[in-house]
Amino acid sequence: MSNEDISQNLSSIQEQIAETCESSGRDPKEITLVTVSKTKPNEDILEAIKAGQLHFGENRMKELEDKMASIANPDVVWHFIGNLQTNKIKYIADRVNWIHSVEKAKYLKEIDKRAGQANRVVNAHIQVNISDEKQKGGCKPDDLARILESAQNYEHVKVKGLMGMATFTDDPEDVRSEFKLLKELFDSHQSYNGGSVQLEHVSMGMTNDFKVAIEEGATMVRIGSAIFGERNYG
Ligand SMILES: *Cc1c(COP(=O)(O)O)cnc(C)c1O
């Protein structure tokens, strides 16, 4: 993707976010755009940084580890959005800012331990399976309360919200109910706030469905291909 395209795509997406907020009575300041740079080269990330973007999402731990090390920009906020593995958390917990994909209590424990060794705090979202597709990952809605309970006393991981991925579909209207479900779970679990849990964010919406997600209450949208172009894999 050419440099010019990346900054144009970024402003186009920001405009669309602002328009969607306006038409649904929301404040654009409530929305954090996480640009998903998975599979894309560091040059593309640097170009987006030049255009003013600071939040980047990656879904493979090794790739994130490499990119955090080579970009080495303290202003960049890194988000991990892919499958976690206990034995690899140590490679990212010393630098990553957000992990959106915590689907088990044991991952919180490991993040707390490893972030603690690096003397830092990692923000986490609990990923909930809202599409009922096994390959999407995430805990069952019924497991959410137990995971939030387990998180109350950590010092180095703070649970800040919920994350969900909707079913892939051509018509984003098809997945409105899935986004509604995540927002309902977010609202109905506010009683677990306290200690290390403070539910403030709903991370949902990607290139094809971010407008519907914003209409349904998203505060973080994760957008890749609309900014960096189609991917060959990942
Ligand atoms: C790849 C990915 C995205 C971005 O997808 P696009 O359709 O390219 O915007 C968002 N969230 C997660 C978890 C992803 O893996």
Side-chain angles (χ1 to χ4, degrees):
M1 172 118 318
S2 84
N3 298 349
E4 219 169 276
D5 287 339
I6 290 174
S7 71
Q8 273 173 11
N9 291 343
L10 264 173
S11 19
S12 159
I13 290 291
Q14 273 148 356
E15 247 166 63
Q16 293 176 60
I17 290 172
E19 282 164 15
T20 310
C21 283
E22 196 165 320
S23 65
S24 52
R26 299 197 52 202
D27 181 348
K29 289 200 205 76
E30 291 170 17
I31 316 282
T32 300
L33 168 60
V34 179
T35 50
V36 177
S37 45
K38 62 188 185 193
T39 81
K40 300 295 180 183
N42 289 342
E43 298 87 81
D44 287 10
I45 298 175
L46 293 170
E47 204 47 46
I49 294 170
K50 241 204 270 170
Q53 176 63 21
L54 288 175
H55 291 261
F56 293 90
E58 291 285 337
N59 74 336
R60 293 180 192 197
M61 290 204 249
K62 179 79 174 92
E63 191 175 341
L64 175 60
E65 187 192 2
D66 291 346
K67 284 174 170 171
M68 286 190 294
S70 53
I71 300 229
N73 179 333
D75 295 332
V76 170
V77 183
W78 293 102
H79 298 249
F80 184 73
I81 60 177
N83 290 332
L84 288 169
Q85 282 167 274
T86 307
N87 59 350
K88 293 194 178 160
I89 284 172
K90 57 176 176 285
Y91 298 120
I92 61 170
D94 63 336
R95 246 168 302 184
V96 75
N97 305 96
W98 293 81
I99 298 178
H100 291 226
S101 42
V102 176
E103 57 174 11
K104 290 182 180 153
K106 70 171 183 184
Y107 294 141
L108 288 173
K109 189 168 179 212
E110 180 69 9
I111 296 166
D112 184 63
K113 174 176 160 191
R114 298 298 180 176
Q117 288 169 351
N119 205 12
R120 50 196 306 279
V121 176
V122 172
N123 295 314
H125 293 328
I126 309 301
Q127 182 175 355
V128 184
N129 188 328
I130 51 174
S131 68
D132 228 10
E133 295 174 296
K134 283 214 177 60
Q135 71 275 21
K136 282 277 161 49
C139 71
K140 294 199 191 80
D142 287 348
D143 291 340
L144 186 55
R146 188 182 48 78
I147 297 175
L148 293 174
E149 257 164 29
S150 83
Q152 296 291 324
N153 296 317
Y154 290 127
E155 278 179 41
H156 299 281
V157 61
K158 305 283 174 201
V159 176
K160 295 282 192 175
L162 305 183
M163 186 273 240
M165 287 176 86
T167 308
F168 289 120
T169 163
D170 290 334
D171 182 359
E173 279 304 326
D174 295 346
V175 296
R176 190 178 286 280
S177 61
E178 296 175 14
F179 292 141
K180 270 193 206 302
L181 170 62
L182 193 62
K183 178 61 163 62
E184 275 165 24
L185 291 167
F186 173 81
D187 291 337
S188 63
H189 287 74
Q190 292 291 323
S191 54
Y192 290 87
N193 288 346
S196 309
V197 177
Q198 197 63 50
L199 296 179
E200 295 164 1
H201 283 285
V202 185
S203 168
M204 59 185 186
M206 313 183 1
T207 290
N208 290 326
D209 53 23
F210 73 90
K211 293 181 186 171
V212 176
I214 289 173
E215 286 165 4
E216 297 304 330
T219 67
M220 285 187 172
V221 291
R222 311 176 308 268
I223 301 183
S225 34
I227 289 159
F228 294 114
E230 294 296 327
R231 291 174 299 271
N232 297 325
Y233 63 96

